[in-house]
């Protein structure tokens, strides 16, 4: 059986990655519809060697669509996803619009695949930083029950979109040619810098990006007890987010046991041989769907503490691949 699929936000960084992933994973597509704002309507895009014209997203775009993959920002999701559901489609939404709604499952297939089927027409894709952390956390949680997570992220420019990626490249070019460095996409110059500010600040001093890690982790692990403290930082890397993660567990979890669990975990590539300079890095994880995990060690600041480092491609596993995997769960 093949399905009619719409990609909403097709011309964006994640939208383009959706097409790569659908093609790579040979998702059974009968008709493909590429949708975007009126500004991008009329653009031509390729899928599996065939040319498609991007159409303007309207409330009538979803007739006969079975699955709609949305990545066009929260306000467009809020406005148009209900129309897609009304037309009979199941929406897999990559924005933050519905993630914390009680009747919308938030799903990482390696973590809580069963939740995907309990949908009312919309399934939310978590924030990329949460996905990349949760893929390795799940098997550790199942074994040792996580009580606390302290995480610092190293997030690449492309997490902020195609224009932000361009800005880092243009800053690099401007610096090398002695031109003035322009700053538009980020709060500060990203080149030769790190910026501890992703999304807007909330009343408790954490940013929204940091609170997503707190809320989404608890929702997907079905636990109101896990405490998560995140510091999210933008770094001058083009693709793939990395995270330094410290967990405190109820049951003792040795580095050896963690390595054993992670070497069998789906979605994880255990890459942990510091003597051979083998540890996760964004350049390694870019262009791949596995989350690289390494630097696993017993934490010396906490009893029952374990630290590790993870890198994952946030456009792929952190967004498009995860969404397509959710769609695969639906058609299974
Ligand atoms: C970022 N996590 O990297 C965001 C994208 N959703 O900016």
């Amino acid at each position: 059986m093949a399905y009619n699929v719409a990609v909403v936000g097709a011309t964006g960084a994640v939208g383009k990655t959706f097409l790569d992933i659908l093609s790579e994973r040979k998702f059974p597509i009968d008709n493909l519809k590429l949708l975007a704002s009126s500004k991008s309507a009329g653009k031509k895009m390729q899928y599996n060697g065939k040319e498609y014209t991007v159409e303007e997203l309207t409330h009538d775009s979803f007739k006969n669509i079975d699955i709609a993959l949305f990545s066009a920002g929260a306000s467009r999701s809020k406005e148009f996803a209900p129309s897609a559901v009304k037309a009979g489609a199941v929406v897999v939404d990559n924005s933050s619009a519905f993630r914390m709604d009680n009747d919308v499952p938030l799903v990482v297939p390696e973590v809580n695949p069963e939740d995907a089927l309990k949908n009312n027409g919309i399934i939310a894709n978590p924030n990329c930083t949460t996905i990349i952390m949760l893929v390795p956390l799940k098997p550790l949680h199942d074994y040792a029950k996580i009580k606390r997570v302290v995480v610092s992220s190293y997030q690449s420019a492309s997490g902020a979109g195609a224009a932000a990626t361009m800005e880092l490249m243009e800053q690099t070019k401007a610096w090398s040619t002695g031109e003035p460095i322009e700053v538009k996409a980020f709060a500060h110059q990203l080149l030769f810098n790190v910026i501890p500010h992703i999304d807007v600040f909330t009343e408790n001093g954490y940013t929204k990006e940091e609170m997503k890690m707190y809320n989404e982790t608890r929702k997907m692990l079905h636990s109101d007890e896990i405490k998560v403290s995140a510091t999210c930082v933008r770094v001058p890397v083009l693709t793939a987010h990395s995270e330094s993660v410290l967990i405190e567990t109820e049951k003792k979890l040795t580095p050896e046991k963690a390595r054993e669990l992670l070497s069998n975990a789906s979605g994880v590539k255990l890459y942990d041989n510091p003597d051979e300079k083998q540890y996760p890095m964004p350049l390694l994880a870019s262009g791949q769907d596995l989350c690289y995990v390494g630097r696993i060690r017993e934490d010396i600041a906490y009893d029952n503490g374990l630290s590790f480092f993870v890198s994952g491609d946030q456009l792929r596993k952190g967004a498009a691949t995860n969404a397509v995997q959710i769609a695969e769960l639906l058609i299974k």
Side-chain angles (χ1 to χ4, degrees):
M1 183 160 173
Y3 299 85
N4 296 334
V5 174
V7 174
V8 180
T11 54
V14 173
K16 286 179 190 153
T17 313
F18 272 141
L19 299 184
D20 294 341
I21 306 291
L22 287 166
S23 170
E24 280 172 32
R25 296 178 76 95
K26 299 188 173 38
F27 193 87
I29 295 182
D30 191 5
N31 290 300
L32 177 66
K33 200 169 199 182
L34 304 185
L35 299 165
S37 66
S38 55
K39 213 170 74 204
S40 297
K43 276 191 182 157
K44 309 279 184 209
M45 293 181 81
Q46 298 279 327
Y47 178 74
N48 279 353
K50 200 173 142 195
E51 189 172 83
Y52 288 80
T53 304
V54 177
E55 296 172 39
E56 182 179 349
L57 170 66
T58 71
H59 289 284
D60 301 321
S61 296
F62 300 97
K63 198 165 167 257
N64 296 325
I65 293 295
D66 301 306
I67 296 173
L69 302 172
F70 271 67
S71 191
S75 59
R76 282 205 187 88
S77 290
K78 277 201 179 123
E79 186 179 351
F80 293 99
S83 305
V85 175
K86 216 163 154 193
V90 179
V91 170
V92 182
D93 181 41
N94 193 47
S95 82
S96 60
F98 308 107
R99 284 180 188 149
M100 295 314 296
D101 289 9
N102 283 335
D103 61 343
V104 174
L106 182 68
V107 175
V108 175
E110 291 85 350
V111 176
N112 57 337
E114 64 287 351
D115 289 348
L117 302 182
K118 298 176 206 148
N119 72 76
N120 293 316
I122 301 178
I123 301 168
N125 211 35
N127 186 40
C128 47
T129 327
T130 319
I131 295 177
I132 290 163
M133 178 173 81
L134 275 201
V135 170
L137 279 197
K138 175 66 164 107
L140 306 181
H141 180 60
D142 286 347
Y143 175 82
K145 196 159 183 224
I146 293 170
K147 285 163 55 181
R148 202 184 302 274
V149 183
V150 181
V151 52
S152 298
S153 73
Y154 305 73
Q155 294 181 227
S156 61
S158 54
T165 316
M166 218 42 191
E167 177 159 313
L168 178 58
M169 292 198 282
E170 274 162 11
Q171 288 180 353
T172 311
K173 197 167 144 212
W175 178 81
S176 64
T177 54
E179 304 291 317
I181 288 178
E182 278 188 38
V183 176
K184 275 190 255 143
F186 299 109
H188 302 275
Q189 174 183 322
L190 185 58
L191 181 71
F192 303 137
N193 201 9
V194 297
I195 306 173
H197 172 185
I198 298 181
D199 211 329
V200 298
F201 286 95
T202 70
E203 271 177 15
N204 65 5
Y206 285 85
T207 63
K208 268 194 179 169
E209 182 82 353
E210 291 159 354
M211 290 313 295
K212 284 176 204 168
M213 296 192 79
Y214 175 90
N215 290 315
E216 294 175 14
T217 298
R218 290 158 65 104
K219 179 165 177 175
M220 281 184 286
L221 293 180
H222 304 292
S223 166
D224 291 338
E225 288 163 19
I226 296 178
K227 297 191 167 76
V228 181
S229 178
T231 304
C232 291
V233 182
R234 188 76 64 196
V235 297
V237 162
L238 286 176
T239 315
H241 289 357
S242 302
E243 299 170 39
S244 163
V245 185
L246 157 61
I247 56 171
E248 187 190 17
T249 54
E250 212 164 277
K251 181 168 144 187
K252 180 76 188 163
L253 174 60
T254 63
E256 294 70 32
K257 185 66 190 175
R259 282 190 202 100
E260 182 197 318
L261 293 166
L262 291 167
S263 62
N264 294 315
S266 120
V268 171
K269 164 100 178 155
L270 182 67
Y271 197 68
D272 193 22
N273 192 358
D275 290 345
E276 298 296 326
K277 300 183 190 154
Q278 290 177 347
Y279 28 70
M281 291 183 291
L283 278 182
L284 269 177
S286 288
Q288 304 204 29
D289 290 324
L290 296 173
C291 296
Y292 278 64
V293 182
R295 293 293 323 276
I296 298 170
R297 60 209 188 271
E298 188 166 331
D299 193 86
I300 54 177
Y302 278 94
D303 296 335
N304 281 3
L306 185 97
S307 290
F308 64 88
F309 197 75
V310 55
S311 296
D313 186 320
Q314 91 288 350
L315 294 174
R316 293 178 63 104
K317 182 55 195 165
T321 302
N322 198 72
V324 174
Q325 283 177 304
I326 293 172
E328 288 169 352
L329 291 174
L330 298 175
I331 65 168
K332 234 182 189 171

